[in-house]
Short mmCIF file of all heavy atoms in Angstrom, two decimals:
data_model
loop_
_atom_site.label_atom_id
_atom_site.label_comp_id
_atom_site.label_asym_id
_atom_site.label_seq_id
_atom_site.Cartn_x
_atom_site.Cartn_y
_atom_site.Cartn_z
N LEU N 668 0.81 -1.25 0.01
CA LEU N 668 -0.03 -0.01 0.04
C LEU N 668 0.89 1.22 -0.05
O LEU N 668 0.58 2.15 0.74
CB LEU N 668 -0.95 0.01 1.15
CG LEU N 668 -1.91 -1.17 1.23
CD1 LEU N 668 -2.71 -1.15 2.60
CD2 LEU N 668 -2.87 -1.10 0.09
N THR N 669 1.78 1.30 -0.89
CA THR N 669 2.75 2.40 -0.93
C THR N 669 2.84 2.83 -2.46
O THR N 669 3.15 2.08 -3.22
CB THR N 669 4.17 2.07 -0.40
OG1 THR N 669 4.06 1.56 0.89
CG2 THR N 669 5.06 3.27 -0.48
N TRP N 670 2.59 4.15 -2.73
CA TRP N 670 2.55 4.58 -4.03
C TRP N 670 3.50 5.71 -4.27
O TRP N 670 3.65 6.59 -3.37
CB TRP N 670 1.11 5.00 -4.56
CG TRP N 670 0.25 3.81 -4.59
CD1 TRP N 670 -0.05 3.04 -5.70
CD2 TRP N 670 -0.56 3.25 -3.60
NE1 TRP N 670 -0.93 2.05 -5.42
CE2 TRP N 670 -1.34 2.19 -4.17
CE3 TRP N 670 -0.87 3.62 -2.30
CZ2 TRP N 670 -2.23 1.43 -3.38
CZ3 TRP N 670 -1.82 2.94 -1.54
CH2 TRP N 670 -2.44 1.76 -2.10
N LEU N 671 4.06 5.92 -5.42
CA LEU N 671 4.96 6.98 -5.76
C LEU N 671 4.40 8.03 -6.70
O LEU N 671 3.77 7.67 -7.71
CB LEU N 671 6.22 6.38 -6.50
CG LEU N 671 6.96 5.27 -5.77
CD1 LEU N 671 8.21 4.80 -6.60
CD2 LEU N 671 7.44 5.70 -4.33
N GLN N 672 4.41 9.32 -6.28
CA GLN N 672 3.68 10.39 -6.95
C GLN N 672 4.62 11.35 -7.63
O GLN N 672 5.40 12.05 -6.91
CB GLN N 672 2.76 11.13 -5.96
CG GLN N 672 2.00 12.29 -6.61
CD GLN N 672 1.03 11.80 -7.71
OE1 GLN N 672 0.18 10.96 -7.37
NE2 GLN N 672 1.24 12.11 -8.92
N PRO N 673 4.77 11.34 -8.99
CA PRO N 673 5.64 12.40 -9.55
C PRO N 673 4.94 13.73 -9.59
O PRO N 673 3.74 13.80 -9.58
CB PRO N 673 5.94 11.79 -10.96
CG PRO N 673 4.71 10.92 -11.18
CD PRO N 673 4.22 10.43 -9.87
N VAL N 674 5.77 14.79 -9.76
CA VAL N 674 5.20 16.11 -9.76
C VAL N 674 5.18 16.77 -11.25
O VAL N 674 4.81 17.94 -11.34
CB VAL N 674 5.95 16.99 -8.81
CG1 VAL N 674 5.82 16.52 -7.41
CG2 VAL N 674 7.34 17.11 -9.22
N SER N 675 5.61 15.98 -12.22
CA SER N 675 5.57 16.44 -13.55
C SER N 675 5.61 15.39 -14.53
O SER N 675 6.15 14.28 -14.21
CB SER N 675 6.64 17.48 -13.82
OG SER N 675 7.89 16.85 -13.88
N ARG N 676 5.09 15.60 -15.78
CA ARG N 676 5.10 14.54 -16.72
C ARG N 676 6.58 14.31 -17.13
O ARG N 676 7.02 13.18 -17.50
CB ARG N 676 4.30 14.94 -17.92
CG ARG N 676 2.86 14.83 -17.65
CD ARG N 676 1.96 15.15 -18.92
NE ARG N 676 2.08 16.54 -19.24
CZ ARG N 676 1.27 17.39 -18.71
NH1 ARG N 676 0.34 17.10 -17.85
NH2 ARG N 676 1.37 18.73 -19.05
N HIS N 677 7.38 15.42 -17.13
CA HIS N 677 8.85 15.28 -17.53
C HIS N 677 9.52 14.27 -16.52
O HIS N 677 10.34 13.39 -16.97
CB HIS N 677 9.44 16.65 -17.43
CG HIS N 677 10.99 16.63 -17.71
ND1 HIS N 677 11.97 16.26 -16.72
CD2 HIS N 677 11.70 16.78 -18.86
CE1 HIS N 677 13.12 16.29 -17.31
NE2 HIS N 677 13.02 16.64 -18.61
N GLN N 678 9.17 14.45 -15.30
CA GLN N 678 9.80 13.57 -14.26
C GLN N 678 9.35 12.08 -14.51
O GLN N 678 10.15 11.12 -14.45
CB GLN N 678 9.43 14.02 -12.84
CG GLN N 678 10.08 13.09 -11.78
CD GLN N 678 9.41 13.50 -10.32
OE1 GLN N 678 8.25 13.80 -10.28
NE2 GLN N 678 10.22 13.52 -9.37
N ALA N 679 8.00 11.89 -14.66
CA ALA N 679 7.53 10.59 -14.89
C ALA N 679 8.03 9.93 -16.16
O ALA N 679 8.37 8.70 -16.08
CB ALA N 679 6.03 10.67 -15.00
N HIS N 680 8.16 10.57 -17.17
CA HIS N 680 8.62 10.04 -18.41
C HIS N 680 10.19 9.58 -18.36
O HIS N 680 10.60 8.83 -19.19
CB HIS N 680 8.47 10.95 -19.65
CG HIS N 680 7.02 11.11 -20.04
ND1 HIS N 680 6.58 12.26 -20.71
CD2 HIS N 680 6.00 10.43 -19.74
CE1 HIS N 680 5.26 12.14 -20.88
NE2 HIS N 680 4.88 11.07 -20.31
N GLY N 681 10.85 10.25 -17.48
CA GLY N 681 12.35 9.84 -17.28
C GLY N 681 12.58 8.84 -16.25
O GLY N 681 13.71 8.58 -15.92
N ALA N 682 11.58 8.19 -15.76
CA ALA N 682 11.71 7.21 -14.73
C ALA N 682 12.43 6.00 -15.30
O ALA N 682 12.11 5.48 -16.39
CB ALA N 682 10.34 6.78 -14.13
N PRO N 683 13.35 5.44 -14.52
CA PRO N 683 14.05 4.25 -14.90
C PRO N 683 13.08 3.01 -14.99
O PRO N 683 12.09 2.96 -14.39
CB PRO N 683 15.18 3.98 -13.87
CG PRO N 683 15.28 5.26 -13.15
CD PRO N 683 13.93 5.93 -13.29
N GLU N 684 13.43 2.07 -15.81
CA GLU N 684 12.59 0.82 -15.94
C GLU N 684 12.47 0.14 -14.57
O GLU N 684 13.46 0.08 -13.79
CB GLU N 684 13.22 -0.10 -16.88
CG GLU N 684 12.39 -1.35 -17.20
CD GLU N 684 13.11 -2.27 -18.27
OE1 GLU N 684 14.11 -1.91 -18.83
OE2 GLU N 684 12.44 -3.38 -18.50
N GLY N 685 11.26 -0.18 -14.23
CA GLY N 685 11.09 -0.87 -12.90
C GLY N 685 10.57 0.05 -11.88
O GLY N 685 10.10 -0.40 -10.85
N VAL N 686 10.71 1.35 -12.03
CA VAL N 686 10.13 2.38 -11.05
C VAL N 686 8.70 2.64 -11.52
O VAL N 686 8.50 3.26 -12.56
CB VAL N 686 10.97 3.65 -11.08
CG1 VAL N 686 10.30 4.67 -10.15
CG2 VAL N 686 12.41 3.34 -10.60
N ARG N 687 7.80 2.32 -10.66
CA ARG N 687 6.29 2.38 -11.01
C ARG N 687 5.71 3.54 -10.38
O ARG N 687 5.76 3.66 -9.15
CB ARG N 687 5.64 1.03 -10.67
CG ARG N 687 6.19 -0.17 -11.48
CD ARG N 687 5.55 -1.46 -10.96
NE ARG N 687 6.07 -1.80 -9.52
CZ ARG N 687 5.57 -2.81 -8.89
NH1 ARG N 687 4.68 -3.65 -9.41
NH2 ARG N 687 6.10 -3.15 -7.74
N LEU N 688 5.15 4.38 -11.20
CA LEU N 688 4.59 5.67 -10.67
C LEU N 688 3.07 5.85 -10.98
O LEU N 688 2.63 5.26 -11.92
CB LEU N 688 5.35 6.87 -11.44
CG LEU N 688 6.88 6.80 -11.36
CD1 LEU N 688 7.40 7.98 -12.24
CD2 LEU N 688 7.39 7.00 -9.94
N LEU N 689 2.47 6.58 -10.12
CA LEU N 689 1.13 7.08 -10.46
C LEU N 689 1.19 8.20 -11.53
O LEU N 689 2.26 8.61 -11.90
CB LEU N 689 0.48 7.68 -9.19
CG LEU N 689 0.35 6.75 -8.07
CD1 LEU N 689 -0.46 7.47 -6.89
CD2 LEU N 689 -0.45 5.47 -8.33
N GLY N 690 0.02 8.55 -12.14
CA GLY N 690 0.07 9.62 -12.98
C GLY N 690 0.49 10.92 -12.42
O GLY N 690 0.17 11.16 -11.26
N ALA N 691 1.23 11.68 -13.19
CA ALA N 691 1.79 12.97 -12.59
C ALA N 691 0.69 13.92 -12.20
O ALA N 691 -0.33 14.14 -12.87
CB ALA N 691 2.72 13.66 -13.62
N ILE N 692 0.89 14.58 -11.14
CA ILE N 692 0.15 15.74 -10.72
C ILE N 692 1.05 16.97 -10.68
O ILE N 692 1.97 17.17 -9.97
CB ILE N 692 -0.47 15.59 -9.25
CG1 ILE N 692 -1.44 14.42 -9.18
CG2 ILE N 692 -1.17 16.86 -8.80
CD1 ILE N 692 -2.02 14.11 -7.83
N GLU N 693 0.77 17.87 -11.66
CA GLU N 693 1.65 19.04 -11.88
C GLU N 693 1.49 19.97 -10.66
O GLU N 693 0.39 20.25 -10.25
CB GLU N 693 1.34 19.67 -13.19
CG GLU N 693 1.39 18.79 -14.41
CD GLU N 693 2.75 18.68 -14.96
OE1 GLU N 693 3.75 19.45 -14.50
OE2 GLU N 693 3.04 17.79 -15.75
N ASN N 694 2.66 20.60 -10.32
CA ASN N 694 2.57 21.62 -9.23
C ASN N 694 1.76 22.80 -9.73
O ASN N 694 1.69 23.04 -10.90
CB ASN N 694 3.96 21.94 -8.89
CG ASN N 694 4.64 20.91 -7.97
OD1 ASN N 694 4.00 20.11 -7.39
ND2 ASN N 694 6.03 20.95 -7.99
N GLY N 695 1.31 23.55 -8.72
CA GLY N 695 0.64 24.75 -9.00
C GLY N 695 0.97 25.88 -7.96
O GLY N 695 1.45 25.55 -6.92
N VAL N 696 0.64 27.12 -8.43
CA VAL N 696 0.91 28.31 -7.52
C VAL N 696 -0.22 29.18 -7.42
O VAL N 696 -1.05 29.21 -8.37
CB VAL N 696 2.23 29.03 -8.02
CG1 VAL N 696 3.46 28.17 -7.91
CG2 VAL N 696 1.93 29.58 -9.44
N PRO N 697 -0.34 30.00 -6.37
CA PRO N 697 -1.43 30.93 -6.30
C PRO N 697 -1.24 32.12 -7.22
O PRO N 697 -0.12 32.38 -7.74
CB PRO N 697 -1.40 31.32 -4.78
CG PRO N 697 0.02 31.16 -4.39
CD PRO N 697 0.54 30.03 -5.21
#
């Protein structure tokens, strides 16, 4: 029950093989 959350699509697309990620949630600012 442990999941990995990337903060950008760029980060997610660069993940090494075998590193399983959730879909990226892009950061935001006020």
Side-chain angles (χ1 to χ4, degrees):
L668 299 175
T669 305
W670 291 273
L671 306 181
Q672 179 63 63
V674 296
S675 70
R676 288 183 290 273
H677 179 276
Q678 181 190 36
H680 290 159
E684 185 176 356
V686 175
R687 296 174 291 178
L688 307 175
L689 300 183
I692 296 178
E693 303 280 346
N694 286 336
V696 294

